[in-house]
Amino acid sequence: MKEKTIDYVLRATWMAVSKMYNEEAGKAGSTMATGFALLSIDPEKGTPSTSLGPKMGMEATSLSRILKSMEEKKLIVRKKNPKDGRSVLLYLTPFGKEMREYSKGVVLRFDEAVKSSVPEKDLKTFINVAKTITDLIIEKKIYDKNLK
């Protein structure tokens, strides 16, 4: 294959972004996954632990390790859901809120850097292409044998 496949470009780009985020998170003693979790937890109302995995696109086992680490670092606390005693809500601690703001700043800085370097028209095209790829996957239009 002389030309790079779409898959290769997506993977290489995400790996570069992931590495960059982990380097930035490391400066604050954190990880990209922890930052993503902090950004996915509602800072005011808390978030049901069961909804966090789907929100982040993570399996329960991976998420459990991240949440345990976040608890140990005093970023979150778990409390019983007052509306449903069987479920648990995750809340950010004051330190968790502080680290959430740091994570938010990292993401926004990346966003600003890309927006200032890529013409708006090209960004819109990129977003539309990414949405189309996601839709093709979700709608099983790539490998479903019944579709052409």
Side-chain angles (χ1 to χ4, degrees):
M1 286 197 269
K2 289 184 181 179
E3 278 187 46
K4 291 180 181 170
T5 62
I6 295 165
D7 168 77
Y8 175 86
V9 173
L10 287 171
R11 202 168 1 100
T13 302
W14 176 245
M15 287 176 74
V17 170
S18 179
K19 183 178 182 210
M20 175 198 66
Y21 277 155
N22 271 315
E23 286 173 2
E24 287 303 307
K27 293 176 184 176
S30 191
T31 66
M32 180 188 74
T34 296
F36 193 23
L38 289 168
L39 292 170
S40 299
I41 296 171
D42 186 301
E44 304 306 320
K45 301 176 191 167
T47 298
S49 58
T50 53
S51 72
L52 197 59
K55 206 177 208 182
M56 293 177 59
M58 293 185 79
E59 296 296 323
T61 51
S62 299
L63 185 59
S64 292
R65 280 188 301 248
I66 292 166
L67 294 178
K68 184 177 180 202
S69 169
M70 290 174 73
E71 250 184 323
E72 289 168 358
K73 292 177 181 174
K74 309 280 191 245
L75 294 166
I76 60 167
V77 291
R78 298 178 204 232
K79 295 181 183 175
K80 280 190 177 182
N81 187 338
K83 295 178 184 171
D84 178 5
R86 298 169 296 166
S87 69
V88 173
L89 293 173
L90 303 171
Y91 291 93
L92 298 175
T93 64
F95 180 52
K97 288 180 181 181
E98 183 183 318
M99 291 301 291
R100 183 182 195 278
E101 285 305 308
Y102 176 82
S103 298
K104 185 176 174 182
V106 169
V107 171
L108 291 176
R109 211 166 331 140
F110 169 73
D111 214 49
E112 289 167 14
V114 173
K115 285 179 177 177
S116 70
S117 298
V118 178
E120 187 178 346
K121 179 180 166 252
D122 291 349
L123 269 177
K124 284 182 180 179
T125 299
F126 169 77
I127 290 166
N128 286 334
V129 169
K131 183 184 178 325
T132 299
I133 291 169
T134 302
D135 291 346
L136 286 170
I137 293 166
I138 289 170
E139 294 166 14
K140 303 211 182 291
K141 290 187 175 179
I142 296 174
Y143 296 113
D144 190 326
K145 291 176 174 80
N146 297 323
L147 300 172
K148 294 183 183 189

